[in-house]
Amino acid sequence: PPPPLIIVENTGRNLTSLRSAAPLGSTFVSLNDPNPHPSRGKGVAEARAVVAAVAASEGAGCKRYVKVTGRYYVPSLLDEVAGVPDEVGLAVQSSENFWKMWEGA
């Protein structure tokens, strides 16, 4: 069987089409942050979404967590995750900071 899939969104929008497209057996968590911290950046909301996903996964037997922003599509996600050795605690795909494009940033 496929691994458990927990989808967390924090847009506050009605995502009926996303919910209907999610694989059968998926858990969908809609996170509406009542206390946003815009001065602290997007990272606070992203961290809260990750915490909500981990909480929703308790008891589901999750062994891996993958955070993918909604702007990306990863066609072979399950294959990519399956290739990560069990002893790896955290795997990160990163790119150069976008803001470094401007002087002084």
Coordinates of all heavy atoms in Angstrom, one line a residue:
P1 N 0.8 -1.2 0.0 CA 0.0 0.0 0.0 C 0.9 1.3 0.0 O 2.0 1.2 0.5 CB -0.8 -0.1 1.3 CG 0.0 -1.0 2.2 CD 0.8 -1.9 1.3
P2 N 0.4 2.3 -0.6 CA 1.1 3.6 -0.6 C 1.3 4.1 0.9 O 0.5 3.8 1.7 CB 0.3 4.5 -1.4 CG -1.1 4.0 -1.4 CD -0.9 2.5 -1.2
P3 N 2.4 4.9 1.1 CA 2.5 5.5 2.4 C 1.4 6.5 2.7 O 0.8 7.0 1.8 CB 3.9 6.1 2.3 CG 4.1 6.4 0.9 CD 3.4 5.3 0.1
P4 N 1.2 6.8 4.0 CA 0.2 7.8 4.4 C 0.6 9.1 3.8 O 1.7 9.5 3.6 CB 0.3 7.9 5.9 CG 1.2 6.8 6.3 CD 1.9 6.3 5.2
L5 N -0.4 9.9 3.4 CA -0.2 11.2 2.8 C -1.1 12.2 3.6 O -2.3 12.1 3.7 CB -0.7 11.2 1.3 CG -0.6 12.5 0.6 CD1 0.9 13.0 0.5 CD2 -1.1 12.4 -0.8
I6 N -0.4 13.2 4.2 CA -1.0 14.2 4.9 C -0.8 15.5 4.1 O 0.4 15.9 3.9 CB -0.5 14.3 6.3 CG1 -1.0 13.1 7.1 CG2 -1.1 15.6 7.0 CD1 0.0 12.2 7.6
I7 N -1.8 16.1 3.7 CA -1.7 17.4 2.9 C -2.1 18.5 3.9 O -3.2 18.5 4.4 CB -2.6 17.3 1.7 CG1 -2.3 16.2 0.8 CG2 -2.6 18.7 0.9 CD1 -3.3 15.9 -0.3
V8 N -1.2 19.5 4.0 CA -1.5 20.6 4.9 C -1.5 21.9 4.0 O -0.5 22.1 3.2 CB -0.5 20.8 6.0 CG1 -0.7 22.0 6.9 CG2 -0.4 19.5 6.8
E9 N -2.5 22.7 4.1 CA -2.5 23.9 3.4 C -2.8 25.0 4.4 O -3.5 24.9 5.4 CB -3.5 23.9 2.3 CG -5.0 23.9 2.7 CD -5.6 25.2 2.9 OE1 -5.0 26.2 2.5 OE2 -6.5 25.3 3.6
N10 N -2.1 26.2 4.1 CA -2.3 27.3 5.1 C -2.7 28.6 4.3 O -2.4 29.7 4.8 CB -1.0 27.5 5.9 CG 0.2 27.8 5.0 OD1 0.1 27.8 3.8 ND2 1.3 28.1 5.7
T11 N -3.5 28.4 3.2 CA -3.9 29.6 2.5 C -5.2 30.2 3.0 O -5.5 31.4 2.8 CB -4.1 29.2 1.0 OG1 -5.2 28.3 0.9 CG2 -2.9 28.7 0.4
G12 N -6.0 29.4 3.7 CA -7.3 29.8 4.1 C -8.4 29.8 3.0 O -9.5 30.2 3.2
R13 N -8.0 29.3 1.8 CA -8.9 29.3 0.7 C -9.7 28.0 0.6 O -9.3 27.0 1.2 CB -8.1 29.5 -0.6 CG -7.5 30.9 -0.7 CD -7.0 31.2 -2.0 NE -6.5 32.5 -2.1 CZ -5.3 32.8 -2.5 NH1 -4.4 31.9 -2.9 NH2 -4.9 34.1 -2.5
N14 N -10.8 28.0 -0.1 CA -11.5 26.8 -0.4 C -10.9 26.0 -1.5 O -10.8 26.5 -2.6 CB -13.0 27.2 -0.8 CG -13.8 26.0 -1.1 OD1 -13.3 24.9 -1.2 ND2 -15.1 26.2 -1.2
L15 N -10.3 24.9 -1.1 CA -9.5 24.1 -2.1 C -10.2 22.8 -2.4 O -9.6 21.7 -2.3 CB -8.1 23.9 -1.5 CG -7.3 25.2 -1.2 CD1 -6.0 24.8 -0.6 CD2 -7.1 25.9 -2.5
T16 N -11.5 22.9 -2.7 CA -12.3 21.7 -3.0 C -11.7 20.9 -4.1 O -11.6 19.6 -4.0 CB -13.7 22.2 -3.4 OG1 -14.3 23.0 -2.4 CG2 -14.6 20.9 -3.6
S17 N -11.1 21.5 -5.1 CA -10.5 20.7 -6.2 C -9.3 19.9 -5.7 O -9.1 18.8 -6.1 CB -10.2 21.6 -7.4 OG -9.3 22.6 -7.1
L18 N -8.5 20.6 -4.9 CA -7.3 19.9 -4.3 C -7.8 18.7 -3.5 O -7.2 17.6 -3.5 CB -6.5 20.8 -3.5 CG -5.2 20.2 -2.9 CD1 -4.3 19.6 -3.9 CD2 -4.5 21.2 -2.0
R19 N -8.8 18.9 -2.6 CA -9.3 17.9 -1.8 C -9.8 16.7 -2.6 O -9.5 15.5 -2.2 CB -10.4 18.4 -0.8 CG -9.9 19.3 0.2 CD -11.1 19.9 1.0 NE -10.7 21.0 1.9 CZ -10.4 20.8 3.1 NH1 -10.4 19.6 3.7 NH2 -10.0 21.8 3.9
S20 N -10.5 17.0 -3.7 CA -11.1 15.9 -4.5 C -10.0 15.2 -5.3 O -10.2 14.0 -5.6 CB -12.2 16.4 -5.4 OG -11.7 17.3 -6.3
A21 N -8.9 15.8 -5.6 CA -7.8 15.2 -6.3 C -6.8 14.4 -5.4 O -6.0 13.6 -5.9 CB -7.0 16.3 -7.1
A22 N -6.9 14.6 -4.1 CA -6.0 13.9 -3.2 C -6.3 12.4 -3.3 O -7.5 12.0 -3.4 CB -6.2 14.4 -1.8
P23 N -5.3 11.6 -3.2 CA -5.5 10.1 -3.2 C -6.4 9.6 -2.1 O -6.4 10.2 -1.0 CB -4.1 9.5 -3.0 CG -3.2 10.6 -3.4 CD -3.9 11.9 -3.1
L24 N -7.2 8.6 -2.3 CA -8.1 8.0 -1.3 C -7.3 7.7 -0.1 O -6.2 7.1 -0.2 CB -8.7 6.8 -1.9 CG -9.9 6.2 -1.1 CD1 -11.0 7.2 -0.9 CD2 -10.3 4.9 -1.7
G25 N -7.8 8.0 1.1 CA -7.1 7.7 2.3 C -6.2 8.8 2.8 O -5.6 8.7 3.9
S26 N -6.1 9.9 2.0 CA -5.2 11.0 2.4 C -5.9 11.8 3.6 O -7.1 11.8 3.7 CB -5.0 12.0 1.3 OG -4.4 11.4 0.2
T27 N -5.1 12.4 4.4 CA -5.6 13.3 5.4 C -5.3 14.7 5.0 O -4.2 15.1 4.6 CB -4.8 13.0 6.8 OG1 -5.0 11.7 7.1 CG2 -5.3 14.0 7.9
F28 N -6.4 15.5 5.0 CA -6.2 16.9 4.6 C -6.4 17.8 5.8 O -7.4 17.8 6.5 CB -7.3 17.2 3.5 CG -7.0 18.4 2.7 CD1 -6.5 18.3 1.4 CD2 -7.3 19.7 3.1 CE1 -6.2 19.4 0.6 CE2 -7.0 20.8 2.4 CZ -6.5 20.6 1.1
V29 N -5.4 18.6 6.1 CA -5.4 19.5 7.2 C -5.4 21.0 6.7 O -4.5 21.4 5.9 CB -4.2 19.3 8.1 CG1 -4.2 20.3 9.3 CG2 -4.2 17.9 8.6
S30 N -6.4 21.7 7.0 CA -6.5 23.1 6.6 C -6.1 24.0 7.8 O -6.8 23.9 8.8 CB -7.9 23.5 6.1 OG -7.9 24.8 5.5
L31 N -5.0 24.7 7.7 CA -4.5 25.4 8.8 C -4.8 26.9 8.6 O -4.3 27.5 7.7 CB -3.0 25.2 9.0 CG -2.3 25.8 10.1 CD1 -2.8 25.2 11.4 CD2 -0.8 25.6 10.0
N32 N -5.6 27.5 9.5 CA -5.9 28.9 9.4 C -5.2 29.5 10.6 O -5.7 29.4 11.8 CB -7.4 29.2 9.4 CG -7.7 30.6 9.1 OD1 -6.8 31.4 9.0 ND2 -9.0 30.9 9.1
D33 N -4.1 30.2 10.4 CA -3.3 30.7 11.5 C -4.0 31.9 12.1 O -4.1 33.0 11.5 CB -1.9 31.1 11.0 CG -1.0 31.4 12.1 OD1 -1.4 31.5 13.3 OD2 0.2 31.4 11.9
P34 N -4.5 31.8 13.3 CA -5.3 33.0 13.9 C -4.3 34.1 14.4 O -4.8 35.1 14.8 CB -6.0 32.3 15.1 CG -5.1 31.2 15.5 CD -4.5 30.7 14.2
N35 N -3.0 33.8 14.5 CA -2.1 34.7 15.0 C -0.9 34.8 14.1 O 0.2 34.4 14.5 CB -1.7 34.3 16.4 CG -0.9 35.3 17.2 OD1 -0.9 36.5 16.8 ND2 -0.2 34.9 18.2
P36 N -1.1 35.4 12.9 CA 0.1 35.5 11.9 C 1.1 36.4 12.4 O 0.8 37.4 13.2 CB -0.6 35.9 10.6 CG -1.8 36.7 11.1 CD -2.3 36.0 12.3
H37 N 2.3 36.2 12.0 CA 3.4 37.1 12.4 C 4.1 37.6 11.1 O 5.3 37.2 10.8 CB 4.4 36.3 13.3 CG 3.8 35.8 14.5 ND1 3.7 36.6 15.6 CD2 3.3 34.6 14.9 CE1 3.1 35.9 16.6 NE2 2.9 34.7 16.2
P38 N 3.5 38.5 10.4 CA 4.1 39.0 9.1 C 5.5 39.6 9.3 O 6.4 39.5 8.5 CB 3.1 40.0 8.6 CG 2.2 40.3 9.7 CD 2.3 39.2 10.7
S39 N 5.7 40.2 10.5 CA 7.1 40.8 10.7 C 8.2 39.8 10.9 O 9.3 40.1 10.7 CB 7.0 41.7 11.9 OG 6.8 41.0 13.1
R40 N 7.8 38.5 11.1 CA 8.8 37.5 11.3 C 9.0 36.7 10.0 O 9.7 35.7 10.0 CB 8.4 36.6 12.5 CG 8.5 37.3 13.8 CD 7.9 36.6 14.9 NE 8.5 35.3 15.2 CZ 8.1 34.4 16.0 NH1 6.9 34.5 16.6 NH2 8.7 33.2 16.1
G41 N 8.2 37.0 9.0 CA 8.4 36.3 7.7 C 7.5 35.1 7.6 O 6.8 34.7 8.5
K42 N 7.6 34.5 6.3 CA 6.7 33.4 6.0 C 7.1 32.1 6.8 O 6.4 31.2 6.9 CB 6.9 33.1 4.5 CG 6.2 34.0 3.6 CD 6.4 33.6 2.2 CE 5.9 34.6 1.2 NZ 6.1 34.1 -0.2
G43 N 8.4 32.1 7.2 CA 8.9 30.9 7.9 C 8.1 30.5 9.1 O 7.9 29.3 9.4
V44 N 7.5 31.4 9.8 CA 6.6 31.1 11.0 C 5.4 30.3 10.6 O 5.1 29.3 11.1 CB 6.2 32.4 11.8 CG1 5.2 32.1 12.9 CG2 7.5 33.1 12.3
A45 N 4.7 30.8 9.5 CA 3.6 30.1 9.0 C 4.0 28.7 8.5 O 3.2 27.7 8.7 CB 2.8 30.9 8.0
E46 N 5.1 28.6 7.8 CA 5.6 27.4 7.2 C 5.9 26.4 8.4 O 5.5 25.2 8.3 CB 6.8 27.6 6.3 CG 6.5 28.4 5.1 CD 5.5 27.8 4.2 OE1 5.5 26.5 4.0 OE2 4.6 28.5 3.7
A47 N 6.5 26.8 9.4 CA 6.8 26.0 10.5 C 5.6 25.5 11.2 O 5.5 24.3 11.6 CB 7.7 26.7 11.6
R48 N 4.6 26.3 11.3 CA 3.3 25.9 11.9 C 2.6 24.8 11.1 O 2.0 23.9 11.6 CB 2.4 27.1 12.2 CG 2.9 28.0 13.3 CD 2.0 29.1 13.5 NE 2.5 29.9 14.7 CZ 1.9 30.9 15.2 NH1 0.7 31.2 14.8 NH2 2.4 31.6 16.2
A49 N 2.8 25.0 9.8 CA 2.2 24.0 8.9 C 2.9 22.6 9.0 O 2.2 21.6 9.1 CB 2.3 24.4 7.4
V50 N 4.2 22.6 9.2 CA 4.9 21.4 9.4 C 4.5 20.8 10.7 O 4.3 19.5 10.8 CB 6.5 21.6 9.3 CG1 7.2 20.4 9.8 CG2 6.9 22.0 7.9
V51 N 4.4 21.6 11.8 CA 4.0 21.0 13.1 C 2.6 20.4 13.0 O 2.3 19.4 13.5 CB 4.0 22.2 14.2 CG1 3.4 21.7 15.4 CG2 5.5 22.5 14.4
A52 N 1.7 21.1 12.2 CA 0.3 20.5 12.1 C 0.4 19.2 11.3 O -0.4 18.3 11.6 CB -0.5 21.5 11.3
A53 N 1.2 19.1 10.3 CA 1.4 17.8 9.6 C 1.9 16.7 10.5 O 1.3 15.6 10.4 CB 2.3 18.0 8.4
V54 N 2.9 17.0 11.3 CA 3.4 16.0 12.2 C 2.4 15.5 13.2 O 2.2 14.4 13.4 CB 4.7 16.5 12.9 CG1 5.2 15.5 14.0 CG2 5.8 16.7 11.8
A55 N 1.6 16.5 13.7 CA 0.6 16.2 14.7 C -0.5 15.3 14.0 O -1.0 14.4 14.6 CB -0.1 17.5 15.2
A56 N -0.9 15.6 12.8 CA -1.9 14.9 12.1 C -1.5 13.5 11.7 O -2.3 12.6 11.5 CB -2.3 15.6 10.8
S57 N -0.1 13.3 11.6 CA 0.4 12.0 11.2 C 0.6 11.0 12.4 O 0.9 9.8 12.2 CB 1.7 12.2 10.5 OG 2.7 12.5 11.5
E58 N 0.4 11.5 13.6 CA 0.6 10.6 14.8 C -0.3 9.4 14.7 O -1.5 9.5 14.4 CB 0.3 11.3 16.1 CG 1.4 12.3 16.4 CD 1.2 13.1 17.7 OE1 0.3 12.7 18.4 OE2 2.0 14.0 18.0
G59 N 0.2 8.2 14.8 CA -0.5 7.0 14.7 C -0.7 6.5 13.2 O -1.2 5.4 13.0
A60 N -0.2 7.3 12.3 CA -0.4 6.8 10.9 C 0.8 6.0 10.4 O 0.8 5.5 9.3 CB -0.6 8.1 10.0
G61 N 1.8 5.9 11.2 CA 3.0 5.1 10.8 C 3.9 5.8 9.9 O 4.7 5.2 9.1
C62 N 3.9 7.2 9.9 CA 4.8 7.9 9.0 C 6.2 7.8 9.4 O 6.6 7.8 10.5 CB 4.4 9.4 9.0 SG 2.8 9.8 8.3
K63 N 7.1 7.5 8.4 CA 8.5 7.4 8.6 C 9.3 8.6 8.0 O 10.4 8.8 8.4 CB 9.0 6.1 8.0 CG 8.5 4.9 8.6 CD 9.1 3.6 8.0 CE 8.5 2.4 8.6 NZ 9.0 1.2 8.0
R64 N 8.7 9.2 7.0 CA 9.3 10.3 6.3 C 8.3 11.5 6.2 O 7.1 11.3 6.1 CB 9.7 9.9 4.9 CG 10.6 8.7 4.9 CD 11.7 8.9 4.0 NE 12.5 7.7 3.7 CZ 13.4 7.2 4.5 NH1 13.7 7.8 5.6 NH2 14.1 6.2 4.2
Y65 N 8.9 12.7 6.2 CA 8.1 13.9 6.0 C 8.7 14.6 4.8 O 10.0 14.8 4.8 CB 8.1 14.7 7.2 CG 7.4 14.1 8.4 CD1 8.1 13.3 9.3 CD2 6.1 14.2 8.6 CE1 7.5 12.6 10.3 CE2 5.4 13.6 9.7 CZ 6.2 12.8 10.5 OH 5.5 12.2 11.6
V66 N 7.9 15.1 3.9 CA 8.4 15.8 2.8 C 7.6 17.1 2.7 O 6.4 17.1 2.7 CB 8.2 15.1 1.4 CG1 8.7 15.9 0.3 CG2 9.0 13.7 1.5
K67 N 8.3 18.2 2.7 CA 7.6 19.5 2.6 C 7.8 20.1 1.2 O 8.9 20.3 0.8 CB 8.1 20.5 3.7 CG 7.2 21.7 3.9 CD 7.9 22.9 3.2 CE 7.0 24.1 3.4 NZ 6.8 24.8 2.2
V68 N 6.7 20.2 0.5 CA 6.8 20.8 -0.8 C 5.9 21.9 -0.9 O 4.7 21.8 -0.6 CB 6.4 19.7 -1.9 CG1 6.5 20.3 -3.3 CG2 7.2 18.4 -1.8
T69 N 6.4 23.1 -1.4 CA 5.5 24.2 -1.5 C 4.5 24.0 -2.6 O 4.8 23.2 -3.5 CB 6.4 25.5 -1.7 OG1 5.5 26.6 -1.7 CG2 7.1 25.5 -3.0
G70 N 3.4 24.7 -2.6 CA 2.4 24.5 -3.5 C 2.7 24.9 -5.0 O 2.0 24.6 -5.9
R71 N 3.8 25.6 -5.1 CA 4.2 26.1 -6.5 C 5.0 25.0 -7.2 O 5.4 25.2 -8.4 CB 5.1 27.3 -6.3 CG 4.3 28.5 -5.8 CD 5.2 29.7 -5.7 NE 6.2 29.6 -4.6 CZ 6.0 29.8 -3.3 NH1 4.8 30.2 -2.9 NH2 7.0 29.6 -2.4
Y72 N 5.3 23.9 -6.6 CA 6.1 22.9 -7.3 C 5.3 21.6 -7.5 O 4.3 21.3 -6.8 CB 7.3 22.5 -6.4 CG 8.2 23.7 -6.3 CD1 8.4 24.4 -5.1 CD2 9.0 24.1 -7.4 CE1 9.2 25.5 -5.0 CE2 9.9 25.2 -7.3 CZ 10.0 25.9 -6.1 OH 10.8 26.9 -6.0
Y73 N 5.7 20.8 -8.5 CA 5.2 19.5 -8.8 C 6.3 18.5 -8.8 O 7.3 18.8 -9.5 CB 4.4 19.5 -10.1 CG 4.0 18.1 -10.6 CD1 3.1 17.4 -9.9 CD2 4.6 17.6 -11.7 CE1 2.7 16.1 -10.3 CE2 4.3 16.3 -12.1 CZ 3.3 15.6 -11.4 OH 3.0 14.4 -11.8
V74 N 6.3 17.5 -8.0 CA 7.3 16.5 -8.0 C 6.8 15.2 -8.5 O 6.1 14.5 -7.8 CB 7.9 16.3 -6.5 CG1 9.1 15.4 -6.5 CG2 8.2 17.7 -5.9
P75 N 7.0 14.9 -9.8 CA 6.3 13.7 -10.4 C 6.7 12.4 -9.8 O 5.9 11.5 -9.8 CB 6.7 13.8 -11.9 CG 8.0 14.7 -11.9 CD 7.9 15.6 -10.7
S76 N 7.9 12.2 -9.3 CA 8.3 10.9 -8.8 C 8.6 11.0 -7.3 O 9.6 10.5 -6.8 CB 9.6 10.5 -9.6 OG 10.6 11.4 -9.4
L77 N 7.8 11.7 -6.6 CA 8.0 12.0 -5.2 C 8.2 10.7 -4.4 O 9.2 10.6 -3.6 CB 6.9 12.8 -4.6 CG 7.0 13.1 -3.1 CD1 8.2 13.9 -2.8 CD2 5.8 13.8 -2.6
L78 N 7.4 9.7 -4.6 CA 7.5 8.5 -3.8 C 8.8 7.7 -4.1 O 9.5 7.2 -3.2 CB 6.3 7.5 -4.0 CG 5.0 8.1 -3.5 CD1 3.9 7.1 -3.8 CD2 5.1 8.3 -2.0
D79 N 9.3 7.8 -5.4 CA 10.5 7.2 -5.7 C 11.7 7.9 -5.1 O 12.6 7.3 -4.6 CB 10.7 7.2 -7.3 CG 9.7 6.3 -8.0 OD1 9.2 5.3 -7.3 OD2 9.5 6.5 -9.1
E80 N 11.6 9.2 -5.1 CA 12.7 10.1 -4.5 C 12.8 9.8 -3.0 O 13.8 9.6 -2.4 CB 12.4 11.5 -4.7 CG 12.4 12.0 -6.1 CD 13.8 11.8 -6.7 OE1 14.8 11.9 -6.0 OE2 13.9 11.6 -8.0
V81 N 11.6 9.7 -2.3 CA 11.6 9.4 -0.8 C 12.1 8.0 -0.5 O 12.9 7.8 0.4 CB 10.2 9.7 -0.3 CG1 10.1 9.2 1.2 CG2 9.8 11.1 -0.4
A82 N 11.7 7.1 -1.4 CA 12.1 5.7 -1.1 C 13.7 5.5 -1.3 O 14.2 4.6 -0.6 CB 11.4 4.8 -2.1
G83 N 14.3 6.4 -2.0 CA 15.7 6.3 -2.2 C 16.6 6.9 -1.1 O 17.8 6.8 -1.1
V84 N 15.9 7.5 -0.1 CA 16.7 8.1 1.0 C 16.9 7.0 2.0 O 16.0 6.4 2.5 CB 15.9 9.3 1.6 CG1 16.6 9.9 2.9 CG2 15.6 10.4 0.6
P85 N 18.2 6.8 2.4 CA 18.5 5.8 3.4 C 17.8 6.0 4.7 O 17.6 7.2 5.1 CB 20.0 5.9 3.5 CG 20.5 6.6 2.3 CD 19.4 7.5 1.9
D86 N 17.5 4.9 5.4 CA 16.8 5.0 6.7 C 17.5 5.8 7.7 O 16.9 6.5 8.6 CB 16.5 3.6 7.3 CG 15.4 2.9 6.5 OD1 14.6 3.6 5.8 OD2 15.3 1.7 6.6
E87 N 18.9 5.8 7.7 CA 19.6 6.5 8.7 C 19.7 8.0 8.5 O 20.1 8.8 9.4 CB 21.1 6.0 8.8 CG 21.9 6.2 7.5 CD 21.7 5.0 6.5 OE1 20.9 4.1 6.7 OE2 22.5 5.0 5.6
V88 N 19.1 8.5 7.4 CA 19.1 10.0 7.2 C 18.0 10.6 8.0 O 16.8 10.2 7.9 CB 18.9 10.3 5.7 CG1 18.7 11.8 5.4 CG2 20.1 9.8 4.9
G89 N 18.3 11.5 8.8 CA 17.3 12.2 9.7 C 16.7 13.4 9.0 O 15.5 13.7 9.2
L90 N 17.4 14.1 8.1 CA 16.9 15.2 7.4 C 17.6 15.4 6.1 O 18.8 15.4 6.0 CB 17.1 16.5 8.3 CG 16.7 17.8 7.7 CD1 15.2 17.9 7.5 CD2 17.2 19.0 8.5
A91 N 16.8 15.5 5.0 CA 17.3 15.7 3.7 C 16.7 17.0 3.2 O 15.5 17.3 3.3 CB 16.9 14.6 2.8
V92 N 17.6 17.9 2.7 CA 17.1 19.2 2.3 C 17.6 19.5 0.8 O 18.7 19.2 0.5 CB 17.7 20.3 3.2 CG1 17.3 21.7 2.7 CG2 17.3 20.1 4.6
Q93 N 16.7 19.9 0.0 CA 17.0 20.4 -1.3 C 17.0 21.9 -1.2 O 16.0 22.5 -0.8 CB 16.0 19.9 -2.4 CG 16.4 20.3 -3.8 CD 16.0 21.7 -4.2 OE1 15.0 22.3 -3.7 NE2 16.9 22.3 -5.0
S94 N 18.1 22.5 -1.6 CA 18.2 24.0 -1.4 C 18.8 24.6 -2.6 O 19.4 24.0 -3.4 CB 19.1 24.2 -0.2 OG 19.1 25.6 0.1
S95 N 18.5 25.9 -2.8 CA 19.1 26.7 -3.8 C 19.6 28.0 -3.3 O 19.3 28.3 -2.2 CB 18.1 26.9 -5.0 OG 16.9 27.5 -4.4
E96 N 20.4 28.7 -4.1 CA 20.9 29.9 -3.6 C 19.8 30.9 -3.2 O 18.7 30.9 -3.9 CB 21.8 30.6 -4.7 CG 22.5 31.8 -4.2 CD 23.6 32.3 -5.2 OE1 23.9 31.5 -6.1 OE2 24.0 33.4 -5.0
N97 N 20.0 31.7 -2.2 CA 19.0 32.7 -1.8 C 18.7 33.6 -2.9 O 19.5 34.4 -3.4 CB 19.6 33.4 -0.5 CG 18.6 34.3 0.1 OD1 17.7 34.8 -0.5 ND2 18.8 34.6 1.4
F98 N 17.4 33.7 -3.2 CA 16.9 34.6 -4.3 C 17.2 36.0 -4.0 O 17.5 36.8 -4.9 CB 15.4 34.4 -4.4 CG 14.7 35.4 -5.3 CD1 14.7 35.2 -6.6 CD2 14.0 36.4 -4.8 CE1 14.1 36.1 -7.5 CE2 13.4 37.4 -5.6 CZ 13.4 37.2 -7.0
W99 N 17.2 36.4 -2.7 CA 17.4 37.8 -2.4 C 18.8 38.3 -2.5 O 19.1 39.5 -2.5 CB 16.9 38.1 -1.0 CG 15.4 37.8 -0.9 CD1 14.9 36.7 -0.2 CD2 14.4 38.5 -1.4 NE1 13.5 36.7 -0.4 CE2 13.2 37.8 -1.1 CE3 14.3 39.6 -2.2 CZ2 11.9 38.2 -1.6 CZ3 13.0 40.1 -2.6 CH2 11.9 39.4 -2.3
K100 N 19.7 37.4 -2.7 CA 21.1 37.8 -3.0 C 21.3 38.4 -4.3 O 22.4 38.9 -4.7 CB 22.1 36.6 -2.8 CG 22.3 36.1 -1.4 CD 23.3 35.0 -1.4 CE 23.6 34.6 0.0 NZ 24.6 33.5 0.1
M101 N 20.3 38.5 -5.1 CA 20.4 39.0 -6.5 C 20.6 40.6 -6.4 O 21.1 41.2 -7.3 CB 19.1 38.7 -7.3 CG 19.0 37.3 -7.7 SD 17.4 36.9 -8.4 CE 17.4 38.0 -9.8
W102 N 20.2 41.2 -5.3 CA 20.3 42.6 -5.1 C 21.4 42.9 -4.2 O 21.6 42.3 -3.2 CB 19.0 43.2 -4.7 CG 18.0 43.1 -5.7 CD1 17.8 43.9 -6.8 CD2 17.0 42.1 -5.9 NE1 16.7 43.5 -7.6 CE2 16.2 42.4 -7.0 CE3 16.6 41.0 -5.1 CZ2 15.2 41.6 -7.4 CZ3 15.6 40.2 -5.5 CH2 14.9 40.5 -6.7
E103 N 22.1 44.0 -4.4 CA 23.2 44.4 -3.5 C 22.7 44.8 -2.2 O 21.6 45.3 -2.1 CB 23.9 45.6 -4.1 CG 25.3 45.3 -4.7 CD 26.0 46.5 -5.2 OE1 26.6 47.2 -4.3 OE2 25.9 46.9 -6.4
G104 N 23.4 44.4 -1.1 CA 23.0 44.7 0.2 C 22.0 43.8 0.8 O 21.6 44.0 2.0
A105 N 21.6 42.8 0.1 CA 20.6 41.9 0.7 C 21.2 40.7 1.3 O 22.3 40.3 0.9 CB 19.6 41.5 -0.4

